[in-house]
Amino acid sequence: MARSEIPQGAVQSKSRVRDRLGAWGSQHRVSFGGSLSRLLSTPIQTLMTALVVAIALALPATLLVALGNIQQLGDSWDASPKISVYIKLRARDAAITQLIDSLEQRPQVSSVRYLTPDQVLADFQRMSGFGEALDSLDDNPLPATLIVSPTQQGSAPEALAALADEIALSPIVDEVSMDMEWVRRLRELMILGKKIVAALAGLLGLGVLLAIGNTIRLAIENRREEIVVAKLVGGTNSFVRRPFIYSGGWYGFMGGILACIIVSLGYWVLEGTVARLATLYQSDFELSGLGFAGNVQLLLTGIVLGWLGAWLAVGRHLATIEPK
């Protein structure tokens, strides 16, 4: 008898755990669908709240996309940071070739362009306007030059300075020149822009929390009698809280969907104009949008903000509603 009772008790324990999990899942399914049905029953109010969330999400997302495109455009310009390496006049071709090969093998170097003294002289004549005066010279006084283009990771001012110092140690290098001020300005402008976007996103995120929290607070007040009855029959705070939390998540989800649509519409409107403008400047620049990952992040951000706003509102106002 003792042996038969042990498995019987284990089976009953497993059955009780399974029943509890089933009941818990059933409650969440009912709250999940019921909260959506309530929101759809008031479409105007739901749409207005979702639009507040969408605008608050779309504005910083649009600014981040704009900053990314500006940085991408800056990297494609000829004005992107480059290092000019002036070779000594008596340097041999073999030594110059060896220096070029060593530079191209560096991970922080994207490409190396070699300009012979004749090419440098021709460029100088074309840009300076002193062509006739320079033609009268017996010897070419200009040295061979290497134009070193760093990678995106190597474009930081500190990395560029370190690379320039290493190149200057070569015995055939006469001088190394680079426009560090332009690099610093661009870098500081991008950092400033990202900080402004982060501050704006924080303020708008706070606005989303307040908007959803106020909407949930009104929903709690409208269902005060229903909440009192639920607590009288034994409903816990978790049971009463659950539909409102899901409502906040639905608000965030709808706002995230609308935000993705707003950003995509802006991209669609500007894409053709930017492409035509780039063609006029003989550029292959293409406008970049959020992409799949960016849209997913925007949607998840909306859901998290919706849940958080609802949770704060429910935690504050639900405790004040108790049966008398």
Side-chain angles (χ1 to χ4, degrees):
M1 292 296 294
R3 293 180 180 177
S4 61
E5 289 176 357
I6 293 176
Q8 183 68 20
V11 171
Q12 291 176 353
S13 177
K14 291 181 180 179
S15 178
R16 283 194 294 268
V17 172
R18 189 181 299 111
D19 292 340
R20 290 178 182 177
L21 290 176
W24 180 82
S26 177
Q27 291 174 2
H28 276 273
R29 285 194 297 270
V30 172
S31 298
F32 183 82
S35 59
L36 178 61
S37 299
R38 285 182 178 273
L39 294 182
L40 295 179
S41 64
T42 56
I44 301 300
Q45 179 183 351
T46 301
L47 180 60
M48 292 178 63
T49 304
L51 280 175
V52 171
V53 178
I55 294 173
L57 293 174
L59 184 56
T62 302
L63 292 177
L64 280 176
V65 171
L67 284 176
N69 281 279
I70 291 174
Q71 186 172 7
Q72 178 184 351
L73 182 60
D75 293 339
S76 64
W77 284 346
D78 289 337
S80 58
K82 291 181 174 62
I83 300 175
S84 298
V85 182
Y86 302 106
I87 307 299
K88 292 181 179 180
L89 294 175
R90 297 183 179 180
R92 296 182 178 179
D93 293 339
I96 297 175
T97 302
Q98 184 178 1
L99 177 60
I100 294 174
D101 293 339
S102 64
L103 289 176
E104 290 178 340
Q105 293 176 2
R106 292 175 178 268
Q108 64 269 39
V109 175
S110 175
S111 63
V112 179
R113 181 187 175 196
Y114 173 55
L115 299 177
T116 64
D118 292 337
Q119 290 175 326
V120 175
L121 180 61
D123 290 341
F124 183 75
Q125 288 176 331
R126 184 177 64 255
M127 297 177 62
S128 65
F130 296 108
E132 296 180 358
L134 293 174
D135 288 338
S136 62
L137 297 176
D138 295 332
D139 297 324
N140 184 0
L142 300 179
T145 304
L146 302 181
I147 306 298
V148 181
S149 300
T151 60
Q152 185 175 0
Q153 293 77 11
S155 298
E158 298 81 6
L160 277 178
L163 179 60
D165 291 340
E166 293 180 9
I167 296 175
L169 296 176
S170 175
I172 66 170
V173 173
D174 187 20
E175 185 181 354
V176 176
S177 174
M178 58 183 174
D179 187 4
M180 290 296 297
E181 290 301 322
W182 186 91
V183 177
R184 291 192 181 98
R185 289 170 187 167
L186 178 61
R187 183 178 179 86
E188 293 301 324
L189 284 175
M190 296 303 299
I191 293 175
L192 177 61
K194 291 180 180 180
K195 288 183 177 180
I196 292 175
V197 172
L200 181 62
L203 291 175
L204 293 175
L206 180 60
V208 170
L209 295 180
L210 294 176
I212 292 181
N214 185 63
T215 302
I216 297 299
R217 182 185 64 82
L218 293 176
I220 292 174
E221 292 296 329
N222 292 334
R223 298 173 61 182
R224 175 180 288 268
E225 295 183 358
E226 180 182 342
I227 293 172
V228 170
V229 172
K231 288 189 174 183
L232 283 173
V233 298
T236 62
N237 284 334
S238 299
F239 175 80
V240 177
R241 184 188 302 117
R242 194 174 295 123
F244 298 107
I245 298 296
Y246 275 117
S247 296
W250 279 118
Y251 279 127
F253 176 79
M254 296 176 186
I257 292 293
L258 291 176
C260 293
I261 294 175
I262 292 173
V263 176
S264 298
L265 285 176
Y267 170 79
W268 178 74
V269 169
L270 295 177
E271 182 184 15
T273 303
V274 172
R276 289 191 294 271
L277 184 62
T279 302
L280 293 176
Y281 284 92
Q282 289 82 39
S283 173
D284 57 353
F285 173 76
E286 294 182 0
L287 192 66
S288 299
L290 276 178
F292 177 76
N295 283 303
V296 171
Q297 291 177 358
L298 194 61
L299 183 60
L300 292 178
T301 301
I303 295 174
V304 170
L305 288 176
W307 272 340
L308 184 58
W311 181 77
L312 292 174
V314 172
R316 180 178 179 182
H317 299 287
L318 192 61
T320 62
I321 303 178
E322 295 291 342
K324 296 181 179 178

